[in-house]
Amino acid sequence: MADLLGAVPSAALVIDVRTAVRAANATAHALLNGAGHLSSLFTPACRAQFAAALLSASASGEAQHGLELEREDGKIWMMGSLAPCPDDGDLFVVTLSDITSLKNRLATCEASEDRWHSALVGSSSGVWEYRADLDQWYCSDIWRQMRGIGPDEPIPSETDAWLERIHPEDRERVAHCVDRQIAGDPDYMTFDYRELHRDGHYIWIECRGACVERRADGRPLRISGTDTDITARKQTEERLTHLSRRLKVALEVSRVGVFEADFDLGTSDWDDGMFALYGVERKEEVKIGGLWESMLHPEDREHVFGEVQRHVANLLPFSDEYRVILRDGSTHYIRSRTLPFIDSDGHRKMIGANWDVTGDVVLHRELERAKTLAEARNEELEEAKARIEHIALHDYLTDLPNRRYLDQMLDRIVADCDERGQGLAALHIDLDRFKQVNDTLGHNAGDQMLRHAARVLRDAMHHNGDFVARIGGDEFVFLTAYDGDDDALAVMAERLIAELRRPIVFEGHECRAGASIGIALERDGNIDARQLLLNADIALYHAKNAGRNRYEFFCRDRRHQMVTAHRLADDLLRALEKDEFVPHYQFQFCARSLDVVGTEALARWQHPERGLLAPAEFLAVAEEIGVVAQIDGLLLQKAVADAARWRAEGLRVPKVSVNVSTRRLHDPHLTQKLAALSFEPGSVSFELLESIFLDESDEQARANLAHIRKLGIGVEIDDFGTGHASIVSLLRIGPDSLKIDRELVRGVARSPEQRRLVGSIIDIGRSLNVKIVAEGVETRDQVRVLAKLGCDVLQGYGLAKPMGMEDTFAFLRAESWRAA
């Protein structure tokens, strides 16, 4: 300890809670001048403050405090840094820096109100200030010097540029601290971090700062603070921590060898005990991959290397036992205890202890042999009994507990959770696409997939009390204690989904299946395990409906949602029977002349109790029960009839566009249904979502598209720019028009980037001889810009809102959109 204190350039000493000096460096001895207690140098007020600082350091791990010392030549001020000794929490390491000069300058500053001049002269800290109204930084010479920046060099004002110089491990924390510091949070007035010096090394900076002036609206106006180089202090703490690690391992055992290895440099440092343990001379070179590895027993090398690699990679302490062959040919058993860590330079290191346990191993083997002989007569009977019980309670294919075993264990699992004061979580896991694997590759492939799933779930059992069962088919249940951490369960579910999604190879084929997971929780007390399993099943249902390969937590209103969805499904079927779906029309206009060039028929449900409902109210349930195609068909029939009414009234609406769902596009009877309608070629257009994918093998959809074109029905791509359509897909489908999504149109009047993007889409359409329709047009500026860009057709609230059929006649005759 004395050597470490001697390395500190300022006064450094070790004291106990009564401030008695236990050790000190030369600078500290000169300061103490023979005093045995540090507090004897303090003023009365300072003694109480220092006692409070000791309590703070004991609780939080570190404290700093200004100290007023009385000496024969007068009072001096010191800055004290306190930290508990790593090996003894009752002792504290104190470093003292003379800040008397700084105190005097600060006093002068307060008297003269010359803040900057006094703070900079003779200060050991770098001063900085940012003026938001001027977007101007001030940084003192010392602030620059501690970073190696010249006095005339410009300082980047961008936060991102500054953060690039922060150590990667500190960046996120520093950004958070700065935000809290500006917000006025007293807990973030001071924080430390590592910053890259101009010479290429990192220095430790202690930042003290605050927002000292704000605008009338509360936003920061002036932010000031100081930075102090605390690299020396941090290095001292690192050396003390380093010493603590070595002492901790060495003192746990006797007659041991202690080593330290640096994996980045490939070096290894042995003490005398290690050389004696392995019977080699002290002068022999020891490095990673050399002496020690050559002495490992050949049968143990793979295991030992694997353990070292795994634990070092994850920085996990571990114990191991292995054989070594010494130079005299004798085999010895070595037990090791090892602690991997990363030092302050970022090097991966490992410190550990070895001791010879050959005698213990021999004795243990003799005892095991005697025990084996004593139990031999009963072993076969016990094994047979265990096999029978295991077969009765386990799944024959995966060897996981079956539903019967799960039912037997539920009450015991609940009792264990109650005893530990924990809740219980149930994960209901169902494999996605399992039926396709069975149908395409056979049941043997399905069995292999189930065994793979069992291995993944079994490997996930990390806690005492975890329980996994296969409850039938491709369904599994995972029970685990729940301590209120939903995030941990979410991470676990994501990991399980990722592992279950990995392919397995069966007879040269890659078999893939995903997984959907429903999660239900009971926090504590009166756990109804069977209801918990039912809730997990409900959550699984929602996970599958939400797209599979995902997880969902059970919510208390899930049953209500299911009942509501079921009722809505019944209402939808009734609505189809009673013809309650009606079209509302949003007209489309020529971008240059503003003449009506068409209209889009939008689905509305005239609900007898809830009034007029938009698709957002019913579309999800309609898709779930498979009636979207029927709604599309009804809307098409009514749109064709309404178009005939407009013509009869002498109103020109050249075209009606109707949305077509994926299911309707794949309807094998679509051609017969269209043949029953009477319309003029070119007067009807089908809108397809950009996300609809047509591959080369999709014969039904391709045949329907070809027939649609023969009937003179146009094809439009809706919401273009939000999906995944490629140029090749556009060429294959050959649409008549593309509808630019409203999200791209919204900023076209004020954003050059948006204008360029929309212009690029228009250019693509022009090159493919495809008309461009802009939807979501809401302002006259958008109308003007889109027309100038060469857009063909405009649609949006700025020209016409969706309206019922009876309202369209007056709207078309008045032509009010022209005067808007």
Side-chain angles (χ1 to χ4, degrees):
M1 182 64 75
D3 292 339
L4 293 175
L5 295 177
V8 179
S10 59
L13 60 160
V14 177
I15 64 172
D16 60 18
V17 294
R18 298 182 181 86
T19 76
V21 178
R22 298 295 185 88
N25 62 9
T27 307
H29 276 301
L31 179 67
L32 291 167
N33 196 25
H37 284 73
L38 180 60
S39 61
S40 65
L41 302 178
F42 299 162
T43 62
C46 186
R47 291 191 187 100
Q49 296 171 356
F50 188 78
L54 282 176
L55 291 175
S56 175
S58 179
S60 63
E62 182 179 353
Q64 285 193 332
H65 204 278
L67 307 173
E68 188 176 11
L69 278 61
E70 292 182 327
R71 300 202 312 179
E72 293 180 359
D73 55 351
K75 292 182 180 180
I76 63 172
W77 278 90
M78 308 291 287
M79 176 59 71
S81 177
L82 294 79
C85 283
D87 298 328
D88 190 340
D90 294 331
L91 297 181
F92 298 84
V93 176
V94 181
T95 58
L96 299 173
S97 301
D98 190 341
I99 60 169
T100 305
S101 176
L102 178 60
K103 277 288 185 178
N104 292 336
R105 289 187 177 91
L106 289 175
T108 302
C109 175
E110 292 176 17
S112 64
E113 296 184 355
D114 186 7
R115 178 187 63 252
W116 292 108
H117 176 74
S118 298
L120 292 173
V121 175
S123 173
S124 61
S125 297
V127 179
W128 53 267
E129 181 178 82
Y130 175 69
R131 289 292 300 265
D133 55 341
L134 304 176
D135 191 23
Q136 187 178 78
W137 281 90
Y138 167 79
C139 297
S140 70
D141 291 342
I142 294 178
W143 188 96
R144 293 169 174 271
Q145 290 168 9
M146 70 174 64
R147 292 167 170 81
I149 300 174
D152 298 323
E153 287 188 61
I155 298 173
S157 60
E158 295 81 8
T159 301
D160 289 343
W162 174 64
L163 286 175
E164 282 297 317
R165 302 189 62 81
I166 306 302
H167 195 285
E169 295 177 3
D170 297 343
R171 286 174 189 164
E172 183 176 352
R173 177 176 58 83
V174 168
H176 175 69
C177 290
V178 170
D179 289 342
R180 299 308 307 149
Q181 194 178 77
I182 294 173
D185 191 334
D187 293 336
Y188 291 85
M189 295 289 288
T190 303
F191 62 91
D192 54 38
Y193 63 93
R194 287 164 288 183
E195 185 171 341
L196 188 66
H197 192 274
R198 182 58 59 86
D199 293 342
H201 65 278
Y202 282 97
I203 60 172
W204 279 95
I205 300 293
E206 181 180 75
C207 175
R208 295 172 177 268
C211 179
V212 298
E213 186 176 356
R214 296 182 181 274
R215 304 174 192 266
D217 59 1
R219 290 183 300 159
L221 178 63
R222 190 161 58 90
I223 308 164
S224 299
T226 62
D227 286 356
T228 305
D229 187 340
I230 58 170
T231 306
R233 188 187 78 198
K234 286 292 186 177
Q235 291 173 344
T236 300
E237 294 170 358
E238 176 62 21
R239 283 192 289 269
L240 289 172
T241 303
H242 175 73
L243 176 62
S244 174
R245 291 194 189 102
R246 298 184 67 116
L247 292 176
K248 176 181 177 182
V249 178
L251 294 176
E252 284 181 346
V253 293
S254 60
R255 300 172 64 184
V256 301
V258 177
F259 70 93
E260 179 174 329
D262 188 323
F263 289 93
D264 291 332
L265 297 180
T267 61
S268 184
D269 182 21
W270 284 16
D271 71 352
D272 291 338
M274 285 289 290
F275 284 101
L277 184 66
Y278 287 89
V280 295
E281 295 286 337
R282 188 79 168 84
K283 62 183 179 181
E284 291 199 39
E285 181 184 12
V286 181
K287 60 182 180 179
I288 294 176
L291 178 63
W292 177 77
E293 289 81 354
S294 70
M295 302 179 76
L296 281 174
H297 195 287
E299 295 177 2
D300 292 348
R301 286 176 182 170
E302 182 177 354
H303 160 75
V304 173
F305 292 158
E307 285 294 287
V308 170
Q309 183 177 7
R310 182 168 66 89
H311 286 86
V312 169
N314 296 284
L315 299 180
L316 298 173
F318 67 102
S319 298
D320 202 0
E321 187 175 298
Y322 48 86
R323 292 167 291 178
V324 295
I325 302 175
L326 302 187
R327 296 282 175 81
D328 60 5
S330 60
T331 299
H332 286 247
Y333 287 83
I334 302 297
R335 187 168 294 159
S336 68
R337 187 165 183 173
T338 313
L339 177 68
F341 65 98
I342 296 179
D343 70 5
S344 60
D345 293 328
H347 287 201
R348 295 175 301 119
K349 290 186 176 182
M350 182 171 69
I351 187 170
N354 287 183
W355 64 99
D356 193 324
V357 294
T358 305
D360 294 340
V361 171
V362 172
L363 177 61
H364 178 73
R365 286 181 175 176
E366 291 176 354
L367 292 174
E368 285 293 326
R369 189 178 297 110
K371 179 182 177 182
T372 300
L373 292 173
E375 295 175 347
R377 294 181 180 179
N378 297 322
E379 185 175 350
E380 290 185 5
L381 180 62
E382 291 296 328
E383 287 181 355
K385 179 182 177 182
R387 277 197 302 272
I388 294 171
E389 291 179 352
H390 187 86
I391 291 171
L393 296 175
H394 287 76
D395 170 47
Y396 77 95
L397 181 64
T398 63
D399 202 37
L400 288 178
N402 56 21
R403 183 181 287 276
R404 178 183 174 190
Y405 195 2
L406 173 64
D407 291 338
Q408 290 183 11
M409 288 294 294
L410 280 177
D411 293 336
R412 185 186 304 176
I413 293 171
V414 169
D416 289 344
C417 289
D418 288 341
E419 183 178 344
R420 294 193 299 266
Q422 293 179 314
L424 182 63
L427 285 74
H428 193 160
I429 301 127
D430 184 88
L431 300 183
D432 298 328
R433 298 184 69 252
F434 178 73
K435 184 177 183 302
Q436 289 91 321
V437 173
N438 260 344
D439 292 345
T440 56
L441 298 178
H443 289 283
N444 288 336
D447 291 347
Q448 193 77 356
M449 186 67 69
L450 291 172
R451 293 190 187 98
H452 166 66
R455 284 193 298 272
V456 170
L457 295 175
R458 192 179 286 112
D459 291 344
M461 298 172 63
H462 298 309
H463 302 290
N464 183 27
D466 285 356
F467 186 85
V468 175
R470 180 190 176 199
I471 60 173
D474 58 347
E475 295 185 53
F476 301 83
V477 166
F478 193 114
L479 298 178
T480 185
Y482 173 62
D483 59 2
D485 188 353
D486 291 0
D487 291 339
L489 288 173
V491 170
M492 177 182 179
E494 288 175 350
R495 186 169 60 248
L496 288 176
I497 292 172
E499 290 297 325
L500 291 171
R501 200 159 47 207
R502 293 181 183 273
I504 63 169
V505 178
F506 175 76
E507 296 182 351
H509 298 280
E510 276 198 354
C511 304
R512 294 178 181 269
S516 299
I517 301 178
I519 307 173
L521 313 169
E522 284 289 350
R523 282 176 170 76
D524 49 32
N526 301 320
I527 298 174
D528 186 342
R530 287 159 183 82
Q531 183 61 51
L532 185 68
L533 293 179
L534 177 60
N535 293 344
D537 186 46
I538 294 174
L540 173 62
Y541 169 81
H542 285 276
K544 282 190 167 293
N545 279 354
R548 302 176 184 267
N549 259 320
R550 58 182 292 134
Y551 64 89
E552 289 286 343
F553 282 89
F554 173 79
C555 297
R556 291 297 175 188
D557 61 348
R558 286 296 195 195
R559 293 191 196 88
H560 174 71
Q561 291 178 1
M562 292 182 69
V563 170
T564 301
H566 181 71
R567 184 180 297 118
L568 183 59
D570 290 341
D571 286 350
L572 277 169
L573 296 175
R574 176 192 51 77
L576 285 168
E577 293 174 358
K578 296 190 175 183
D579 195 24
E580 293 176 359
F581 289 96
V582 296
H584 271 217
Y585 297 101
Q586 186 173 30
F587 290 99
Q588 301 168 334
F589 305 89
C590 173
R592 289 166 293 280
S593 66
L594 290 185
D595 291 339
V596 173
V597 294
T599 184
E600 180 180 359
L602 304 170
R604 296 293 186 266
W605 179 6
Q606 191 64 56
H607 196 283
E609 298 173 1
R610 300 170 58 189
L612 194 67
L613 301 181
E617 299 285 336
F618 60 83
L619 188 58
V621 176
E623 288 178 342
E624 184 177 334
I625 64 175
V627 299
V628 174
Q630 291 178 253
I631 296 174
D632 287 350
L634 286 175
L635 234 62
L636 176 60
Q637 293 177 16
K638 294 185 177 183
V640 170
D642 289 340
R645 290 183 60 190
W646 286 322
R647 287 195 299 273
E649 292 288 332
L651 298 173
R652 186 175 182 276
V653 181
K655 180 190 66 175
V656 177
S657 300
V658 181
N659 290 299
V660 175
S661 65
T662 304
R663 180 168 295 186
R664 183 160 171 80
L665 191 62
H666 289 75
D667 184 357
H669 305 294
L670 179 61
T671 57
Q672 295 93 318
K673 296 174 181 177
L674 293 177
L677 295 176
S678 176
F679 56 88
E680 295 179 6
S683 65
V684 175
S685 181
F686 282 178
E687 291 193 9
L688 310 179
L689 289 177
E690 185 192 359
S691 56
I692 291 179
F693 177 76
L694 299 175
D695 62 28
E696 295 294 344
S697 61
D698 199 344
E699 294 296 336
Q700 184 62 67
R702 292 174 64 233
N704 282 343
L705 272 176
H707 185 75
I708 286 170
R709 293 191 178 283
K710 288 181 181 179
L711 293 176
I713 297 176
V715 175
E716 300 180 4
I717 303 299
D718 198 9
D719 296 340
F720 185 80
T722 62
H724 310 282
S726 65
I727 300 300
V728 174
S729 299
L730 291 178
L731 290 173
R732 184 161 61 241
I733 297 174
D736 298 286
S737 63
L738 299 177
K739 294 189 73 173
I740 303 176
D741 185 73
R742 66 186 65 250
E743 290 298 323
L744 301 179
V745 172
R746 179 176 296 146
V748 73
R750 62 178 183 277
S751 169
E753 292 80 9
Q754 291 287 84
R755 286 196 294 275
R756 285 194 293 271
L757 178 57
V758 171
S760 298
I761 296 174
I762 293 171
D763 290 340
I764 291 173
R766 187 176 293 114
S767 65
L768 298 177
N769 198 24
V770 173
K771 287 187 176 181
I772 300 299
V773 180
E775 58 181 352
V777 178
E778 297 181 356
T779 67
R780 284 293 165 174
D781 285 341
Q782 291 172 345
V783 171
R784 176 182 52 77
V785 171
L786 288 167
K788 185 176 181 180
L789 288 174
C791 188
D792 298 297
V793 179
L794 307 178
Q795 177 181 345
Y797 276 42
L799 294 167
K801 297 181 180 179
M803 63 191 74
M805 179 60 185
E806 299 308 319
D807 295 328
T808 63
F809 298 105
F811 176 82
L812 292 171
R813 291 189 178 101
E815 296 191 351
S816 56
W817 66 86
R818 296 185 184 277

